[in-house]
Amino acid sequence: MRPAFSEGRSRDTSGLLTWCCAGVCLLVLAVAFLGPLLATGSPTEQVGPPFAAPGPGHPLGTDFLGRDVATRLLHGGWVVLALSVGATALATLLGAGAGVWLGLTAERGGEMVMRGVDLLAVFPSLLLLMLLATGAPDNDAAVLLAVGLASTPFSLRVVRAATRQVAGTGYVLTARARGDSWPAVVRYDVLPNIAGTVLADAGIRFVAAVHLTATAGFLGLGRGAPNANWGRMIRENLAGTALNPLPVLLPAALLAAFAVAVNLLADRVAGRMRHFDSARSDS
Amino acid sequence: MSWGPFLLRRLAVAVPTLGALSALVFGATELLPGDAVSAIAGPSATEAERDAVRDRLGLDRDPVTRYLEWAGGALRGDLGTAYTGGRAVTELIGSRLPNSLLLAGLALLVTVPVSVTLGLLAGARAGRRSDRVVSTGVLLVAGLPEFVLATVLLWLMAAEADLLPQVSLVPLGGTPLGTPEILVLPVLTLAASGIAVGTRLVRSAGAEVAASPWVEAARLRGIAGTRLAVRHVLPGALAPATQAFGLVSGALVGGAIVVETVFGYPGIGLELQQAVAHRDVPLVQGIALVLCAITLATVLLADIAARALDPRRGSAR
């Protein structure tokens, strides 16, 4: 059944909100990835006393070791976002590959595998992250792998459901009947039909990945000090908020703005895809 | 199906699941090539010292044997000894777990009524203004990572306004209830992320029920407003929402770890975070296993509650 949704009246304001979210995302991405190129000083050099207020030489003040907050801010974003993108790609590739395969193969074996997938989905993702990080301390690969693997079961479930729907349609059965190979069926009949679902799902996984990666930084997992990382900056400087709150508030604001904007965008995209899919299956 | 076979069937799934999760917990710390030995022995240890550590921890034996020993011990209520401090893992967990359960219970007490009210407000009027306001607000909060929310609350309420304590210290041997003000910020943060999840679940279940023939029939009989929402939408929406809430309980366990760490609240989540920082593998594995068991138990309880709340069971008898 179609959800009782009427978005018609609010289209103009929701369009504006979507553009604002896209703008915020681009801005944070620019700070994170252009930042290391724009920053002039060293992110690990001491330039003043700890938690100094903004002043000449350190426009946003200093952190708990007297390092320049502005420089650390410009250097600390890309690792969080790059790991999130990598983990999303990993989850989407693994989830889509296994999801298509399970969606097209026999029922019984598939059900057994899905019980296992449900099991992984119950496993708290932060717990997986902390376990992998305990085994491989000081290692960003552990964060990438944990965040990616934590998202894979959800991705797999969505893709498998979409594939099963396509697999039951006439053209896939026709293609199989005229002797097309499975890779050809996947390439020409399945993938074009589930591409929208996969992309919308990747958006949702990316939101979760940003959350988890930032949390990893905050908890001090992954490559450690003295590298700058927005999540860890917040933790390192919590003690000095009374003297200089900027090294806590600015990375928190950037992470919050990005996470919220991406979440709203992913919700819009997923909503569009649902409308698109239900419109298509209605016709 | 009556209750007996239902419970048996659920337990028959839950017990092997916990077994499989225990293998996952043990395997995950071994999956990546890390060097636990040099982390414990220190970077300047000689080869003989490293061998002694390896021997003492039993790391020279193969992982399968060590897993079986660990899992067997867990069945007898023995999770080994922590590397740091040398106390029994179960003893460390036992001293911290009540604090965490108190925190989670209080957060749940706030989360459930607020989620049901907001979710019903939005779901019973899907597409209207109240729905858009609630849904967007919830999406905003759900977008925020818990540690950002916690940090900003901490800064506003404790550092700037000086209303509440910054660190949730509990005197040795005391309980958090002795100083209830330390619970306010942790409970608020945990409840906020719980409400963001719960409201969405109640809303989508409510929207589905609100579009159903029997609610339409009630509407045609002239029932509207709160009465329609509480008497006709809520009963049908509660069961699916409860079940879905069980399935996302894993996310709330993660939230509790973060919240305890931010506020220094002496629970099992803070213990885990410190154990990870000290590379205390047995302690990490023990806490992770307990958290998995709690997550599974929550899923199971939510399933049972959903079944008890399902109005169709009453009419089928």
mmCIF file of all heavy atoms in Angstrom, chain A residues 196-232:
data_model
loop_
_atom_site.group_PDB
_atom_site.id
_atom_site.type_symbol
_atom_site.label_atom_id
_atom_site.label_comp_id
_atom_site.label_asym_id
_atom_site.label_seq_id
_atom_site.Cartn_x
_atom_site.Cartn_y
_atom_site.Cartn_z
ATOM 1 N N GLY A 196 18.789 2.604 -8.946
ATOM 2 C CA GLY A 196 18.252 3.680 -8.123
ATOM 3 C C GLY A 196 18.176 3.281 -6.663
ATOM 4 O O GLY A 196 18.585 4.035 -5.776
ATOM 5 N N THR A 197 17.686 2.070 -6.409
ATOM 6 C CA THR A 197 17.581 1.570 -5.039
ATOM 7 C C THR A 197 18.958 1.490 -4.393
ATOM 8 O O THR A 197 19.140 1.886 -3.235
ATOM 9 C CB THR A 197 16.932 0.178 -5.032
ATOM 10 O OG1 THR A 197 15.741 0.235 -5.801
ATOM 11 C CG2 THR A 197 16.613 -0.275 -3.632
ATOM 12 N N VAL A 198 19.939 0.986 -5.151
ATOM 13 C CA VAL A 198 21.292 0.841 -4.607
ATOM 14 C C VAL A 198 21.853 2.207 -4.233
ATOM 15 O O VAL A 198 22.436 2.377 -3.151
ATOM 16 C CB VAL A 198 22.208 0.120 -5.617
ATOM 17 C CG1 VAL A 198 23.644 0.136 -5.147
ATOM 18 C CG2 VAL A 198 21.744 -1.304 -5.837
ATOM 19 N N LEU A 199 21.653 3.189 -5.116
ATOM 20 C CA LEU A 199 22.202 4.515 -4.842
ATOM 21 C C LEU A 199 21.513 5.158 -3.638
ATOM 22 O O LEU A 199 22.187 5.730 -2.769
ATOM 23 C CB LEU A 199 22.035 5.412 -6.065
ATOM 24 C CG LEU A 199 23.092 5.213 -7.142
ATOM 25 C CD1 LEU A 199 22.842 6.149 -8.311
ATOM 26 C CD2 LEU A 199 24.484 5.441 -6.575
ATOM 27 N N ALA A 200 20.182 5.060 -3.566
ATOM 28 C CA ALA A 200 19.458 5.626 -2.428
ATOM 29 C C ALA A 200 19.916 4.963 -1.143
ATOM 30 O O ALA A 200 20.117 5.623 -0.115
ATOM 31 C CB ALA A 200 17.961 5.442 -2.614
ATOM 32 N N ASP A 201 20.134 3.655 -1.206
ATOM 33 C CA ASP A 201 20.597 2.924 -0.028
ATOM 34 C C ASP A 201 21.997 3.369 0.367
ATOM 35 O O ASP A 201 22.298 3.528 1.557
ATOM 36 C CB ASP A 201 20.575 1.424 -0.314
ATOM 37 C CG ASP A 201 21.033 0.624 0.872
ATOM 38 O OD1 ASP A 201 20.312 0.638 1.876
ATOM 39 O OD2 ASP A 201 22.113 0.015 0.796
ATOM 40 N N ALA A 202 22.853 3.592 -0.641
ATOM 41 C CA ALA A 202 24.214 4.049 -0.350
ATOM 42 C C ALA A 202 24.170 5.370 0.404
ATOM 43 O O ALA A 202 24.980 5.603 1.304
ATOM 44 C CB ALA A 202 25.019 4.181 -1.640
ATOM 45 N N GLY A 203 23.211 6.233 0.060
ATOM 46 C CA GLY A 203 23.072 7.500 0.774
ATOM 47 C C GLY A 203 22.800 7.279 2.251
ATOM 48 O O GLY A 203 23.411 7.915 3.109
ATOM 49 N N ILE A 204 21.894 6.351 2.544
ATOM 50 C CA ILE A 204 21.548 6.065 3.942
ATOM 51 C C ILE A 204 22.750 5.460 4.671
ATOM 52 O O ILE A 204 23.053 5.789 5.812
ATOM 53 C CB ILE A 204 20.330 5.129 4.001
ATOM 54 C CG1 ILE A 204 19.119 5.859 3.427
ATOM 55 C CG2 ILE A 204 20.049 4.688 5.426
ATOM 56 C CD1 ILE A 204 17.930 4.981 3.170
ATOM 57 N N ARG A 205 23.472 4.555 3.975
ATOM 58 C CA ARG A 205 24.678 3.942 4.583
ATOM 59 C C ARG A 205 25.726 5.004 4.864
ATOM 60 O O ARG A 205 26.478 4.913 5.834
ATOM 61 C CB ARG A 205 25.277 2.871 3.665
ATOM 62 C CG ARG A 205 24.395 1.697 3.343
ATOM 63 C CD ARG A 205 23.836 1.021 4.561
ATOM 64 N NE ARG A 205 22.494 0.578 4.268
ATOM 65 C CZ ARG A 205 21.454 0.755 5.053
ATOM 66 N NH1 ARG A 205 21.596 1.323 6.217
ATOM 67 N NH2 ARG A 205 20.271 0.355 4.689
ATOM 68 N N PHE A 206 25.810 6.012 3.969
ATOM 69 C CA PHE A 206 26.818 7.061 4.152
ATOM 70 C C PHE A 206 26.537 7.845 5.437
ATOM 71 O O PHE A 206 27.462 8.172 6.177
ATOM 72 C CB PHE A 206 26.836 7.987 2.934
ATOM 73 C CG PHE A 206 27.887 9.064 2.997
ATOM 74 C CD1 PHE A 206 29.228 8.723 3.091
ATOM 75 C CD2 PHE A 206 27.543 10.407 2.989
ATOM 76 C CE1 PHE A 206 30.206 9.691 3.168
ATOM 77 C CE2 PHE A 206 28.515 11.393 3.058
ATOM 78 C CZ PHE A 206 29.848 11.035 3.150
ATOM 79 N N VAL A 207 25.261 8.117 5.711
ATOM 80 C CA VAL A 207 24.904 8.817 6.947
ATOM 81 C C VAL A 207 25.412 8.030 8.156
ATOM 82 O O VAL A 207 26.075 8.573 9.044
ATOM 83 C CB VAL A 207 23.375 8.989 7.049
ATOM 84 C CG1 VAL A 207 22.999 9.605 8.381
ATOM 85 C CG2 VAL A 207 22.860 9.842 5.910
ATOM 86 N N ALA A 208 25.120 6.726 8.156
ATOM 87 C CA ALA A 208 25.560 5.885 9.275
ATOM 88 C C ALA A 208 27.083 5.851 9.348
ATOM 89 O O ALA A 208 27.664 5.868 10.436
ATOM 90 C CB ALA A 208 24.997 4.476 9.110
ATOM 91 N N ALA A 209 27.740 5.825 8.173
ATOM 92 C CA ALA A 209 29.201 5.741 8.154
ATOM 93 C C ALA A 209 29.828 7.006 8.731
ATOM 94 O O ALA A 209 30.807 6.930 9.485
ATOM 95 C CB ALA A 209 29.693 5.510 6.725
ATOM 96 N N VAL A 210 29.257 8.178 8.406
ATOM 97 C CA VAL A 210 29.794 9.430 8.948
ATOM 98 C C VAL A 210 29.669 9.423 10.471
ATOM 99 O O VAL A 210 30.621 9.753 11.190
ATOM 100 C CB VAL A 210 29.052 10.647 8.342
ATOM 101 C CG1 VAL A 210 29.444 11.926 9.066
ATOM 102 C CG2 VAL A 210 29.353 10.771 6.864
ATOM 103 N N HIS A 211 28.508 9.006 10.963
ATOM 104 C CA HIS A 211 28.294 8.902 12.407
ATOM 105 C C HIS A 211 29.363 8.056 13.069
ATOM 106 O O HIS A 211 30.012 8.457 14.014
ATOM 107 C CB HIS A 211 26.947 8.220 12.686
ATOM 108 C CG HIS A 211 25.834 9.176 12.845
ATOM 109 N ND1 HIS A 211 24.731 8.910 13.608
ATOM 110 C CD2 HIS A 211 25.655 10.402 12.345
ATOM 111 C CE1 HIS A 211 23.921 9.941 13.565
ATOM 112 N NE2 HIS A 211 24.446 10.852 12.788
ATOM 113 N N LEU A 212 29.516 6.853 12.525
ATOM 114 C CA LEU A 212 30.376 5.865 13.167
ATOM 115 C C LEU A 212 31.851 6.271 13.067
ATOM 116 O O LEU A 212 32.606 6.120 14.031
ATOM 117 C CB LEU A 212 30.136 4.497 12.503
ATOM 118 C CG LEU A 212 30.404 3.282 13.349
ATOM 119 C CD1 LEU A 212 29.708 3.368 14.684
ATOM 120 C CD2 LEU A 212 29.948 2.030 12.615
ATOM 121 N N THR A 213 32.242 6.814 11.918
ATOM 122 C CA THR A 213 33.634 7.218 11.740
ATOM 123 C C THR A 213 33.980 8.375 12.675
ATOM 124 O O THR A 213 35.048 8.387 13.296
ATOM 125 C CB THR A 213 33.888 7.636 10.283
ATOM 126 O OG1 THR A 213 33.323 6.666 9.422
ATOM 127 C CG2 THR A 213 35.360 7.771 10.014
ATOM 128 N N ALA A 214 33.057 9.351 12.773
ATOM 129 C CA ALA A 214 33.302 10.483 13.667
ATOM 130 C C ALA A 214 33.377 10.002 15.106
ATOM 131 O O ALA A 214 34.221 10.454 15.889
ATOM 132 C CB ALA A 214 32.203 11.530 13.504
ATOM 133 N N THR A 215 32.485 9.050 15.456
ATOM 134 C CA THR A 215 32.498 8.504 16.818
ATOM 135 C C THR A 215 33.808 7.775 17.090
ATOM 136 O O THR A 215 34.356 7.862 18.191
ATOM 137 C CB THR A 215 31.304 7.557 17.020
ATOM 138 O OG1 THR A 215 30.110 8.258 16.684
ATOM 139 C CG2 THR A 215 31.212 7.080 18.446
ATOM 140 N N ALA A 216 34.319 7.065 16.068
ATOM 141 C CA ALA A 216 35.604 6.381 16.221
ATOM 142 C C ALA A 216 36.688 7.378 16.571
ATOM 143 O O ALA A 216 37.492 7.153 17.479
ATOM 144 C CB ALA A 216 35.958 5.627 14.939
ATOM 145 N N GLY A 217 36.702 8.508 15.865
ATOM 146 C CA GLY A 217 37.694 9.542 16.151
ATOM 147 C C GLY A 217 37.543 10.039 17.579
ATOM 148 O O GLY A 217 38.515 10.160 18.319
ATOM 149 N N PHE A 218 36.292 10.283 17.978
ATOM 150 C CA PHE A 218 36.023 10.795 19.322
ATOM 151 C C PHE A 218 36.509 9.830 20.395
ATOM 152 O O PHE A 218 37.059 10.229 21.419
ATOM 153 C CB PHE A 218 34.522 11.045 19.486
ATOM 154 C CG PHE A 218 34.147 11.558 20.837
ATOM 155 C CD1 PHE A 218 34.319 12.893 21.151
ATOM 156 C CD2 PHE A 218 33.640 10.705 21.795
ATOM 157 C CE1 PHE A 218 33.988 13.371 22.399
ATOM 158 C CE2 PHE A 218 33.306 11.186 23.045
ATOM 159 C CZ PHE A 218 33.477 12.517 23.351
ATOM 160 N N LEU A 219 36.323 8.526 20.145
ATOM 161 C CA LEU A 219 36.730 7.527 21.137
ATOM 162 C C LEU A 219 38.221 7.208 21.053
ATOM 163 O O LEU A 219 38.727 6.361 21.787
ATOM 164 C CB LEU A 219 35.914 6.243 20.955
ATOM 165 C CG LEU A 219 34.422 6.343 21.261
ATOM 166 C CD1 LEU A 219 33.717 5.048 20.928
ATOM 167 C CD2 LEU A 219 34.198 6.696 22.723
ATOM 168 N N GLY A 220 38.920 7.859 20.119
ATOM 169 C CA GLY A 220 40.365 7.654 20.012
ATOM 170 C C GLY A 220 40.738 6.371 19.300
ATOM 171 O O GLY A 220 41.837 5.854 19.482
ATOM 172 N N LEU A 221 39.831 5.850 18.460
ATOM 173 C CA LEU A 221 40.160 4.659 17.682
ATOM 174 C C LEU A 221 40.730 5.106 16.341
ATOM 175 O O LEU A 221 40.511 6.221 15.897
ATOM 176 C CB LEU A 221 38.905 3.804 17.460
ATOM 177 C CG LEU A 221 38.084 3.536 18.728
ATOM 178 C CD1 LEU A 221 36.801 2.805 18.383
ATOM 179 C CD2 LEU A 221 38.897 2.733 19.712
ATOM 180 N N GLY A 222 41.439 4.217 15.670
ATOM 181 C CA GLY A 222 42.084 4.592 14.422
ATOM 182 C C GLY A 222 43.430 5.253 14.679
ATOM 183 O O GLY A 222 43.929 5.261 15.807
ATOM 184 N N ARG A 223 44.010 5.825 13.611
ATOM 185 C CA ARG A 223 45.343 6.410 13.710
ATOM 186 C C ARG A 223 45.333 7.520 14.758
ATOM 187 O O ARG A 223 44.522 8.431 14.712
ATOM 188 C CB ARG A 223 45.747 6.960 12.340
ATOM 189 C CG ARG A 223 47.214 7.124 12.168
ATOM 190 C CD ARG A 223 47.594 7.053 10.698
ATOM 191 N NE ARG A 223 48.761 7.877 10.449
ATOM 192 C CZ ARG A 223 48.703 9.053 9.829
ATOM 193 N NH1 ARG A 223 47.551 9.526 9.395
ATOM 194 N NH2 ARG A 223 49.797 9.751 9.638
ATOM 195 N N GLY A 224 46.235 7.415 15.710
ATOM 196 C CA GLY A 224 46.149 8.262 16.898
ATOM 197 C C GLY A 224 46.917 9.560 16.816
ATOM 198 O O GLY A 224 47.298 10.023 15.736
ATOM 199 N N ALA A 225 47.173 10.159 17.974
ATOM 200 C CA ALA A 225 47.877 11.424 18.080
ATOM 201 C C ALA A 225 49.250 11.296 17.417
ATOM 202 O O ALA A 225 49.792 10.200 17.372
ATOM 203 C CB ALA A 225 48.028 11.776 19.561
ATOM 204 N N PRO A 226 49.820 12.382 16.903
ATOM 205 C CA PRO A 226 49.318 13.765 16.977
ATOM 206 C C PRO A 226 48.481 14.191 15.770
ATOM 207 O O PRO A 226 48.264 15.374 15.599
ATOM 208 C CB PRO A 226 50.624 14.551 17.009
ATOM 209 C CG PRO A 226 51.542 13.767 16.112
ATOM 210 C CD PRO A 226 51.155 12.324 16.279
ATOM 211 N N ASN A 227 47.996 13.247 14.960
ATOM 212 C CA ASN A 227 47.240 13.638 13.778
ATOM 213 C C ASN A 227 45.935 14.319 14.168
ATOM 214 O O ASN A 227 45.301 13.941 15.143
ATOM 215 C CB ASN A 227 46.928 12.400 12.931
ATOM 216 C CG ASN A 227 48.184 11.704 12.494
ATOM 217 O OD1 ASN A 227 48.922 12.220 11.673
ATOM 218 N ND2 ASN A 227 48.458 10.561 13.090
ATOM 219 N N ALA A 228 45.573 15.315 13.331
ATOM 220 C CA ALA A 228 44.326 16.040 13.597
ATOM 221 C C ALA A 228 43.147 15.217 13.085
ATOM 222 O O ALA A 228 43.243 14.554 12.055
ATOM 223 C CB ALA A 228 44.367 17.401 12.912
ATOM 224 N N ASN A 229 42.045 15.236 13.846
ATOM 225 C CA ASN A 229 40.827 14.506 13.490
ATOM 226 C C ASN A 229 39.686 15.205 14.216
ATOM 227 O O ASN A 229 39.746 15.396 15.422
ATOM 228 C CB ASN A 229 40.999 13.045 13.944
ATOM 229 C CG ASN A 229 39.748 12.216 13.770
ATOM 230 O OD1 ASN A 229 38.653 12.631 14.131
ATOM 231 N ND2 ASN A 229 39.911 11.034 13.230
ATOM 232 N N TRP A 230 38.661 15.616 13.455
ATOM 233 C CA TRP A 230 37.587 16.419 14.064
ATOM 234 C C TRP A 230 36.982 15.733 15.276
ATOM 235 O O TRP A 230 36.698 16.376 16.285
ATOM 236 C CB TRP A 230 36.495 16.704 13.035
ATOM 237 C CG TRP A 230 36.891 17.752 12.045
ATOM 238 C CD1 TRP A 230 37.995 18.550 12.117
ATOM 239 C CD2 TRP A 230 36.209 18.117 10.840
ATOM 240 N NE1 TRP A 230 38.047 19.382 11.034
ATOM 241 C CE2 TRP A 230 36.957 19.140 10.227
ATOM 242 C CE3 TRP A 230 35.041 17.678 10.221
ATOM 243 C CZ2 TRP A 230 36.574 19.719 9.034
ATOM 244 C CZ3 TRP A 230 34.653 18.270 9.033
ATOM 245 C CH2 TRP A 230 35.413 19.284 8.444
ATOM 246 N N GLY A 231 36.745 14.435 15.163
ATOM 247 C CA GLY A 231 36.136 13.717 16.280
ATOM 248 C C GLY A 231 37.031 13.774 17.511
ATOM 249 O O GLY A 231 36.582 14.047 18.622
ATOM 250 N N ARG A 232 38.333 13.506 17.294
ATOM 251 C CA ARG A 232 39.237 13.456 18.446
ATOM 252 C C ARG A 232 39.517 14.837 19.017
ATOM 253 O O ARG A 232 39.754 14.980 20.216
ATOM 254 C CB ARG A 232 40.542 12.754 18.060
ATOM 255 C CG ARG A 232 41.219 12.146 19.274
ATOM 256 C CD ARG A 232 42.369 11.231 18.921
ATOM 257 N NE ARG A 232 43.246 11.816 17.952
ATOM 258 C CZ ARG A 232 43.507 11.279 16.765
ATOM 259 N NH1 ARG A 232 42.978 10.142 16.435
ATOM 260 N NH2 ARG A 232 44.317 11.870 15.923
#
